[in-house]
Amino acid sequence: MTERRSSQWYAGTDRNAYIHRAWMRRGLPENAFDGRPHIAIANSASDLTPCNSHLNEVAEAVKAGIYAAGGIPLNLPVVSLGETQVRPTAMLWRNMAAMATEEMLRANPIDGVVLLGGCDKTIPSLLMAAASVDLPALVIPGGPMLTGTFQGQALGCGTDVWRLSEEVRGGTLSQEQFLKSESSMIRSRGHCNTMGTASTMALVAEALGTIAPGLAGTPAPDSRLLEASYDSGHLIVELIAEGRRPSTFLTRGSFHNAIVALAAIGGSTNAVVHLLAIAGRLGIDLTIDDFDRIGSGVPLLVNLQPAGRFLMDDFHRAGGLLSVLREVRDLLDPTALTVTGRPLVDHLDDARIWDPEVITVRSSPLQADAGIAVLYGNLAPGGAIVKPAAASAHLLSHRGRAVVFDTIEDMHARIDDPDLEVDADSVLVLRGCGPRGYPGMPEVANMPLPKKLLEQGVRDMVRICDGRMSGTAYGTVILHVTPEAAAGGPLGIVETGDWIVLDVPGRTLSIDVPQDELDARLPNAATVAGFAAPTRGWERLYVDHVMQADTGADLDFLRGSSGDRVSRESH
Ligand code: FES
């Protein structure tokens, strides 16, 4: 039998082994140190991450499964990010959470890890960490919440917050009614129930192969989540016995499958930066162009908010991810493996669509081409993305004059000014919201429309930003513009009144200003109002090392893997 990693701490009769064992003898069984696998449960449960607050119960089911399979489960609380709670934006802390988790997995005497996540950044940060440590690992997603209703209507949390608040600003909903909806928005434990970032990342992580097939999308209150968590406890013991590490089963083909899934479900644009960052940890050369190339031609089969009508509860009832993937089986990489040791496509045979209104068959897709479109041009030399499935078809080819906001504060201060020179054809430009500029690349690209236009019935406009957009948002929003303004990108030299030309079918985004004038403006590109470089702490480290959106906005020194080795003893 090969020596367990944890035995490097526990085996033997010397003083150090004595210390490692003695301090752990607090209720562990007598045979805990006989060479059986020690397995961390990287647990992002936190009262301040409300979408993950039920994960301690999930952890108990995992523990039971690990014990039953002959392993030793060990709860490891990790940095947890509540999307609605942490300021200035959870994305600023994703890399910190990934780095902290990576180091704690490496530093501790464990042989494998079960990753418990849910809210937007938690699964990405856990997977980035696991990829860099490369211990046997699998994910259990905490699952979406049940559907709440208000005045007889289902509420999509996130998406309907944007919609209702716009209705208040447009004068079609009273402030009192808006506030009344607050207590209906979150019906149960679990993460957002739209096809937002949390739902997307759980489903994409399953398509990637890191979750037991069929588990992602199980609602958080559903008893089958605990049953599957128990089974995953068994499965992680098998992964360790087989030496099934991320580097042994995550390949370019795995990411291909994740991108196909992302398009077919109409998933969040945030998956682009997260998948790029995870691939970077594995040394897989994934680019934003892969999202357009692989995703184009993939049909949209899932009718969920924000692009469609239903919610995650309906999605699970209708057959879930495997029934979607079965429809696009021919587009998947048949060699890409999963945590089960078998290819993803091997798990599709029994999947069925039970409600074709929620999940459509391949022959009648909601859209023929649902991929993320990647745009280039003199406004985005490093690329920008747009999700056509969530955009207005009539705006995908558009020419309009820019209305520029230097910061999010500037936008909030002026967007509803009756004297703002803006009409329905204008292009709203918001800069200073990239990884460095904010810092942290917040979800602000889906900026609110000017009140006076809302009152005229305008419901969408072209918006351009170097930040991200909430996965629960919708609209003709061009985001992740690279390089960002604060890194000297041309977004920093756009002036109000410039003509902007968007051509999504032609994949271009440009500014129609003579080149010599652009050249004259360029030295001032990085001068973005409100940006002050942080002087200490994580923000300082982040701003000094964060890369641009086109590579996943990871820190430059966190790319790649350091493996699980620790060279020195602690005393
Ligand atoms: Fe946690 Fe939406 S706020 S998933």
Side-chain angles (χ1 to χ4, degrees):
M1 184 173 128
T2 52
E3 189 200 20
R4 297 222 184 273
R5 180 175 186 270
S6 56
S7 297
Q8 296 166 19
W9 278 256
Y10 296 129
T13 54
D14 65 11
R15 184 198 61 191
N16 285 345
Y18 172 106
I19 291 170
H20 292 308
R21 287 191 305 264
W23 264 253
M24 288 296 287
R25 287 184 186 278
R26 301 172 198 229
L28 288 183
E30 181 57 33
N31 59 7
F33 306 107
D34 67 358
R36 61 192 61 222
H38 284 229
I39 300 163
I41 301 172
N43 185 354
S44 57
S46 163
D47 288 344
L48 281 165
T49 305
C51 305
N52 294 16
S53 60
H54 64 296
L55 290 181
N56 285 330
E57 190 183 358
V58 173
E60 290 306 313
V62 178
K63 276 187 179 180
I66 291 174
Y67 270 131
I72 301 295
L74 300 150
N75 192 44
L76 176 66
V78 295
V79 175
S80 188
L81 302 171
E83 190 67 26
T84 53
Q85 306 307 104
V86 295
R87 290 178 173 175
T89 170
M91 185 64 175
L92 173 64
W93 312 111
R94 182 201 66 176
N95 298 342
M96 186 188 78
M99 187 164 79
T101 302
E102 173 186 341
E103 299 299 355
M104 287 304 100
L105 293 179
R106 185 177 295 114
N108 274 297
I110 56 166
D111 303 295
V113 58
V114 175
L115 309 163
L116 304 189
C119 197
D120 292 17
K121 305 298 178 292
T122 51
I123 288 179
S125 62
L126 289 166
L127 275 176
M128 289 162 72
S132 285
V133 182
D134 200 30
L135 282 168
L138 58 79
V139 176
I140 298 177
M145 65 184 77
L146 300 177
T147 304
T149 58
F150 177 61
Q151 296 178 336
Q153 301 289 317
L155 285 179
C157 60
T159 303
D160 275 324
V161 177
W162 310 129
R163 181 179 61 77
L164 294 173
S165 66
E166 291 293 85
E167 285 188 19
V168 173
R169 296 176 65 244
T172 55
L173 183 75
S174 73
Q175 185 74 27
E176 190 189 359
Q177 290 299 305
F178 175 65
L179 292 176
K180 263 196 166 174
S181 73
E182 186 177 312
S183 58
S184 309
M185 188 61 69
I186 307 301
R187 179 168 165 219
S188 74
R189 57 172 61 185
H191 61 67
C192 290
N193 59 5
T194 50
M195 190 58 79
T197 305
S199 302
T200 298
M201 287 313 301
L203 299 174
V204 160
E206 182 170 309
L208 201 55
T210 62
I211 296 175
L215 167 53
T218 304
D222 194 312
S223 57
R224 287 168 291 186
L225 176 65
L226 298 181
E227 187 183 332
S229 300
Y230 178 89
D231 293 343
S232 291
H234 267 266
L235 183 56
I236 187 65
V237 174
E238 180 187 313
L239 258 73
I240 294 167
E242 303 279 327
R244 216 175 286 151
R245 299 164 180 262
S247 62
T248 67
F249 68 90
L250 288 179
T251 61
R252 203 176 161 76
S254 314
F255 285 87
H256 176 105
N257 289 349
I259 292 170
V260 171
L262 177 65
I265 63 175
S268 163
T269 50
N270 284 322
V272 177
V273 284
H274 296 324
L275 285 171
L276 288 168
I278 296 164
R281 298 300 185 99
L282 292 158
I284 293 172
D285 184 24
L286 193 73
T287 69
I288 49 170
D289 297 331
D290 290 321
F291 287 82
D292 203 334
R293 183 179 55 77
I294 298 169
S296 68
V298 176
L300 176 65
L301 300 179
V302 176
N303 187 7
L304 249 66
Q305 293 188 33
R309 180 175 149 209
F310 295 98
L311 294 162
M312 282 300 289
D313 206 359
D314 306 303
F315 178 73
H316 187 63
R317 169 180 57 78
L321 179 68
L322 297 186
S323 71
V324 177
L325 295 180
R326 188 169 186 258
E327 293 294 309
V328 292
R329 186 180 198 142
D330 59 305
L331 303 179
L332 297 172
D333 185 318
T335 66
L337 299 172
T338 69
V339 284
T340 64
R342 291 161 51 208
L344 179 67
V345 293
D346 274 15
H347 295 277
L348 306 180
D349 292 340
D350 296 334
R352 292 288 179 279
I353 296 172
W354 302 110
D355 186 343
E357 267 202 283
V358 182
I359 299 174
T360 67
V361 294
R362 176 80 168 271
S363 55
S364 56
L366 294 154
Q367 286 185 22
D369 180 358
I372 302 274
V374 179
L375 314 173
Y376 290 95
N378 64 357
L379 197 48
I385 66 170
V386 60
K387 181 178 170 183
S392 300
H394 72 282
L395 291 173
L396 292 176
S397 295
H398 184 77
R399 180 182 168 88
R401 286 194 182 273
V403 177
V404 180
F405 302 100
D406 280 337
T407 63
I408 189 75
E409 292 79 13
D410 179 30
M411 186 274 291
H412 284 308
R414 294 196 291 128
I415 193 76
D416 287 342
D417 184 342
D419 295 329
L420 183 70
E421 287 195 28
V422 64
D423 61 33
D425 291 330
S426 299
V427 174
L428 304 180
V429 175
L430 174 59
R431 59 194 175 197
C433 299
R436 292 190 76 226
Y438 197 68
M441 206 182 176
E443 295 181 333
V444 294
N446 53 308
M447 61 194 104
L449 305 187
K451 190 166 189 274
K452 64 182 179 185
L453 297 183
L454 282 172
E455 287 168 350
Q456 293 167 20
V458 176
R459 288 294 178 266
D460 195 11
M461 295 172 70
V462 175
R463 287 159 274 179
I464 299 175
C465 182
D466 46 11
R468 294 176 303 119
M469 152 170 114
S470 166
T472 60
Y474 52 90
T476 310
V477 184
I478 318 300
L479 57 165
H480 305 189
V481 173
T482 302
E484 62 173 301
L491 198 67
I493 57 173
V494 181
E495 293 179 1
T496 291
D498 287 345
W499 285 103
I500 305 283
V501 185
L502 170 66
D503 178 7
V504 175
R507 300 297 197 257
T508 60
L509 176 66
S510 42
I511 173 172
D512 188 4
V513 172
Q515 190 58 46
D516 54 347
E517 189 177 334
L518 292 179
D519 291 343
R521 290 186 199 172
L522 204 54
N524 297 322
T527 309
V528 177
F531 175 65
T535 55
R536 68 177 302 279
W538 172 256
E539 288 193 26
R540 168 70 188 271
L541 189 66
Y542 179 89
V543 163
D544 284 351
H545 291 280
V546 72
M547 298 184 297
Q548 291 292 287
D550 61 334
T551 52
D554 202 357
L555 301 194
D556 51 14
F557 61 82
L558 288 177
R559 301 269 283 182
S561 165
S562 301
D564 66 13
R565 295 194 69 77
V566 274
S567 57
R568 287 182 154 168
E569 183 52 283
S570 53
H571 28 253

